[in-house]
Every structure is written in C-alpha cells, then in structure tokens.
Amino acid sequence: MYDQPRANPSQKAMTFDQMLERVRYEGAYPTRERAAEVVHNVLAALGRQLTGDERVDLAQCLPVEAALSLTAQVPDTHQLTGWGFIKDLASRTGASPATTRWDTGAVLAVVSRLAGPDLLARILRQLPGGYALLFGQAELRRPEPAAA
C-alpha cells in the first residue's frame, strides 16, 4: 500500500534549531518562535495517535526537543483519520482547519525526511486513512471488491 520506493532517504541527525529553520522555510513562518509553536503542537497531536515501535523509532529520528513533544503525550484509545487529526488539532489550538492543515504539512514534511521512507511507510500503515497526504505522500488505496 505504501511500500513503493521513494526518493527521500532519511537525513542524518538534525538539531532542533535546524529543524525549526526547515519548518520555518516550509511553512513561510515569520519567526522561529512561530515555527517552534507549530512543531510542538503538531508533534504533540501526532504523539496522541502513534503507538508501539513506530512511535519509539520516530522519536529516535527527531531532535531531543521534538521527540519530547511527541512522547510526552499519552496515545488516544481511538485513532483519528487524517481529517479528524486536523479538526482535533484545530480545536485544541484555536486555529482554522486551513491554517492547521498548512501547519501540519510544514512540520510533517520535515518529519518525513528525518524518518526516511521505510519508517514513514510503517507509520502510515499504522495510522487510519488520510495521513499520507499530511506527510506529503500520495495516498494509495487498495481496490475494494465490487458489491455482489
């Protein structure tokens, strides 16, 4: 489903400052403080959705400050779809869904580069539909059998 080869091999270690600069560039944010706020909000929300080895492995790929935002959250018992993730994060931050979608894309584009294609594929297999687009990936669906 998500196992096709990708041209984004994982990057070597990145400092939190470098991560903030990448997110600031991706999201066209005016300040590092705004980029830091977005990073912490999005990673906290992702931390409520990820469990198991994928959560641990992703935390190991992130700078320490970012990993703490991800792992400080207790995973929810009910996973949200990609759209549900955006709506939940928007309600928690008071931002519009459009702004939240932009923020999420800016952060998860950098996270996907840090994670690399193999870990990203594992993460996407664990999460419900709608997350691939948030990570900047095509969302491929398996054909469903025709109704008899």
Side-chain angles (χ1 to χ4, degrees):
M1 183 168 186
Y2 298 107
D3 294 323
Q4 73 274 14
R6 292 183 183 74
N8 63 338
S10 67
Q11 292 184 351
K12 301 300 179 224
M14 180 183 282
T15 67
F16 189 62
D17 288 337
Q18 290 170 325
M19 183 180 190
L20 290 181
E21 283 304 314
R22 290 297 311 160
V23 170
R24 185 177 175 197
Y25 175 79
E26 291 282 341
Y29 300 114
T31 64
R32 289 173 55 90
E33 291 75 20
R34 176 68 180 128
E37 176 186 355
V38 168
V39 165
H40 290 297
N41 287 338
V42 171
L43 289 178
L46 185 60
R48 288 188 290 275
Q49 298 301 305
L50 276 181
T51 60
D53 291 339
E54 289 75 20
R55 178 183 171 102
V56 172
D57 293 347
L58 180 59
Q60 290 176 342
C61 294
L62 299 174
V64 172
E65 299 88 338
L68 289 173
S69 292
L70 178 81
T71 59
Q73 302 301 310
V74 175
D76 287 339
T77 57
H78 175 70
Q79 285 189 317
L80 301 170
T81 63
W83 176 237
F85 177 88
I86 295 298
K87 290 191 307 185
D88 179 65
L89 184 54
S91 71
R92 290 174 188 264
T93 61
S96 71
T99 299
T100 302
R101 173 61 181 92
W102 179 269
D103 293 346
T104 300
V107 174
L108 295 184
V110 175
V111 168
S112 70
R113 285 188 218 114
L114 289 170
D118 295 337
L119 177 55
L120 183 58
R122 288 177 33 220
I123 290 169
L124 292 174
R125 276 193 302 269
Q126 183 189 104
L127 295 169
Y131 282 87
L133 294 174
L134 300 179
F135 280 94
Q137 303 291 313
E139 181 139 14
L140 303 177
R141 298 182 66 163
R142 290 190 174 129
E144 297 186 21

